[in-house]
Amino acid sequence: MTRYEVILEKAPCDGIFACLTRDPRFVEAADGLATIDPDADPVYDCEGEVVESRGRIVAAFDDDRIGEAEQAARACPTNAITVREVSE
């Protein structure tokens, strides 16, 4: 399986939520913008580490769902989402 990070920059996020329809780990946060919650998708038993700091959310995953994260990133009209593979 691939280890990857999903990085969400809060400042450019405008709350259109195109990401939510591509990857259910993206959810609406209390501030009306997107956030990442690995427990939000009841279909998959998804484990991930999510860290938020200074307007940036970084979620690390070790599963086969990188394609969903990449679709969410491509759908984001403000380019607020980046997906990158990371080495162990």
Side-chain angles (χ1 to χ4, degrees), residues 3 25 38-39 44-49 60-63 65:
R3 180 149 177 86
R25 295 172 289 188
D39 297 325
Y44 290 93
D45 183 16
C46 179
E47 290 188 27
E49 178 182 319
F61 297 100
D62 186 6
D63 59 28
R65 298 176 65 194

Side-chain angles (χ1 to χ4, degrees), residues 1-72:
M1 300 221 190
T2 304
R3 180 149 177 86
Y4 59 98
E5 289 181 340
V6 180
I7 302 160
L8 171 61
E9 300 287 348
K10 295 290 276 192
C13 179
D14 59 6
I16 289 178
F17 302 124
C19 56
L20 274 68
T21 62
R22 273 60 174 202
D23 187 336
R25 295 172 289 188
F26 286 89
V27 295
E28 183 176 357
D31 62 5
L33 301 176
T35 192
I36 303 168
D37 180 359
D39 297 325
D41 185 359
V43 175
Y44 290 93
D45 183 16
C46 179
E47 290 188 27
E49 178 182 319
V50 179
V51 177
E52 183 171 357
S53 176
R54 298 184 189 150
R56 172 184 269 194
I57 299 169
V58 179
F61 297 100
D62 186 6
D63 59 28
D64 61 354
R65 298 176 65 194
I66 190 171
E68 291 177 43
E70 290 170 335
Q71 286 179 5

